[in-house]
Amino acid sequence: METIPSFQVDHTRLKCGLYVARKDVLGYETVTTFDIRMKRPYHEEVMETGSVHALEHICATFLRNDELWKDKIIYFGPMGCRTGFYLIVNGDVDTDTIYPLVERTFDYAAEFEGEIPGATPKECGFCVDMDLEKAKEDAAMYYNVLIDAKKENFNYPKPRKPREKKTK
Ligand SMILES: [Zn+2]
């Protein structure tokens, strides 16, 4: 089988940030997948499942209620490695355009108070695994990354060229 494109990004050189993971054309529509990278792989601890789960509920609810974007949100969910989330939106969208939405989502999550939406046995498959305090901490750390972001936090590391043998 072929290696899928997201495994071709060199995760050992990846910083925290906001990246376009891929754009797919489905019929007449383009769909953009964003890589919301909250933890720097192999440099920082990954998130705890309770934090990831709480953030999933809080952020998905926020995104699907955002007046500007709610009709374009296709999916928001965690990466299995627990270093971040994927956000999938309808349209050919770049990071500059999505940035304000992601910023206000994590601002909201960092300040969240009250009942986590959908956190009941009826609404969720394992609602006991939620850690709001950790979630707020992780959201705040990522928010700080976003507001201080530089070019390298918006562009995947460029693949290194294979070294060529010198011939004499
Ligand atoms: Zn859940």
Side-chain angles (χ1 to χ4, degrees), residues 23-31 90:
K23 291 183 180 180
D24 294 287
V25 179
L26 308 170
Y28 298 104
E29 305 276 354
T30 299
V31 163
N90 191 359

Side-chain angles (χ1 to χ4, degrees), residues 53 56-57 118 123-127 130:
H53 192 190
E56 182 200 15
H57 279 234
E123 297 166 296
C124 167
F126 196 45
C127 67
M130 293 219 192

Side-chain angles (χ1 to χ4, degrees), residues 83-101:
T83 61
F85 287 84
Y86 284 115
L87 169 64
I88 306 179
V89 299
N90 191 359
D92 185 342
V93 182
D94 53 31
T95 46
D96 290 351
T97 311
I98 207 73
Y99 176 87
L101 174 67

Side-chain angles (χ1 to χ4, degrees), residues 4-24:
I4 63 172
S6 69
F7 298 155
Q8 291 169 10
V9 174
D10 184 350
H11 285 72
T12 65
R13 293 163 56 219
L14 186 59
K15 304 253 167 76
C16 298
L18 174 62
Y19 307 97
V20 171
R22 54 186 296 143
K23 291 183 180 180
D24 294 287

Side-chain angles (χ1 to χ4, degrees), residues 20-115:
V20 171
R22 54 186 296 143
K23 291 183 180 180
D24 294 287
V25 179
L26 308 170
Y28 298 104
E29 305 276 354
T30 299
V31 163
T32 307
T33 303
F34 289 98
D35 173 332
I36 294 177
R37 191 66 61 159
M38 297 173 66
K39 301 293 174 185
R40 189 174 169 197
Y42 309 103
H43 287 77
E44 281 178 86
E45 294 282 331
V46 302
M47 287 178 277
E48 290 177 11
T49 58
S51 170
V52 170
H53 192 190
L55 283 174
E56 182 200 15
H57 279 234
I58 293 165
C59 296
T61 303
F62 182 87
L63 290 162
R64 293 190 186 283
N65 280 281
D66 187 84
E67 277 308 315
L68 279 176
W69 285 93
K70 61 182 177 187
D71 297 331
K72 293 187 182 296
I73 305 298
I74 295 171
Y75 174 77
F76 176 84
M79 296 171 180
C81 59
R82 292 183 275 138
T83 61
F85 287 84
Y86 284 115
L87 169 64
I88 306 179
V89 299
N90 191 359
D92 185 342
V93 182
D94 53 31
T95 46
D96 290 351
T97 311
I98 207 73
Y99 176 87
L101 174 67
V102 178
E103 191 198 296
R104 60 181 180 268
T105 302
F106 283 87
D107 184 23
Y108 175 78
E111 305 290 333
F112 188 84
E113 296 289 342
E115 297 287 311

